[in-house]
Amino acid sequence: MYYFVERMTEDDIDQVQMIERASFSTLWSVNTYRHELRSPATSRYIVARASPTPPPPRTERPSFRRGLLAHLLPGFLGQPPSHTHDFPIVGYGGVWLSVDEGHITTIAVAPAYRGRGIGELLLNGLIDQALELNADVLTLEVRISNIVAQQLYLKYGFRPAGTRPRYYTDNGEDALIMWTDPIRSPAYQEKLRQLRERLFARLREEANESGPLHNDLRLEME
Ligand SMILES: CC(C)(COP(=O)(O)OP(=O)(O)OC[C@H]1O[C@@H](n2cnc3c(N)ncnc32)[C@H](O)[C@@H]1OP(=O)(O)O)[C@@H](O)C(=O)NCCC(=O)NCCS
């Protein structure tokens, strides 16, 4: 299976909410999504889509190569398909800019697709979006009990920095607050480059294992 990431649109809200319902106990309204999607100067939302065959070249959206991922790993990038809505959404995520801080607001992968690198692909996409928004650091809150998500964040250089007691209203659970080092620093950029190389190798391997037609992995970030 091939996975690619692109900006979320209002047409995607239904599918995103299905993944949200399967992932979280408190849900956002359609209007919340619309508001976020209509505020691109401070909020960016992305979706990951799955394609059983290499996505066909996309001739539109010339801005697609602007992302850091495209800059760092041009050899891995194909062009995204022209009709991406044909491919189901398997994950989504968002980042919100507050002054120079990028807040990861949400990230989730459909249960059947977890453990395949898609969460990591989405986090990379969100880091790219945060860089485009000129964020200097990234932060987020995560449930104290959510070890899987914490492992993902630790892998990408987020470090625990305190808690927000009883932050989650559904069960009164504490939130762990996590921060990165400056994401433009040479050290973080080098860490990111290495992580992305490994992720792309993993995704390429999985695509190759899917069958003989699937030997030309194409990924995309906007
Ligand atoms: C958190 C989530 C997005 C991770 O997505 P995913 O696609 O399953 O994760 P990936 O396959 O990309 O794995 C990336 C990293 O996450 C961590 N991870 C993933 N699954 C894990 C597991 N079962 N146990 C421990 N760590 C795990 C690891 O650090 C992993 O890196 P590794 O493969 O080098 O060990 C996904 O589990 C999810 O949607 N959970 C429900 C929603 C949620 O909790 N969101 C976070 C809110 S703060």
Side-chain angles (χ1 to χ4, degrees), residues 107-109 114-117 119-120 146 151-153 155 202:
I107 183 168
V109 173
R114 288 179 192 162
R116 303 185 193 189
E120 215 177 312
N146 193 346
Q151 289 301 316
L152 169 62
Y153 303 142
K155 186 173 177 181
R202 173 185 179 181

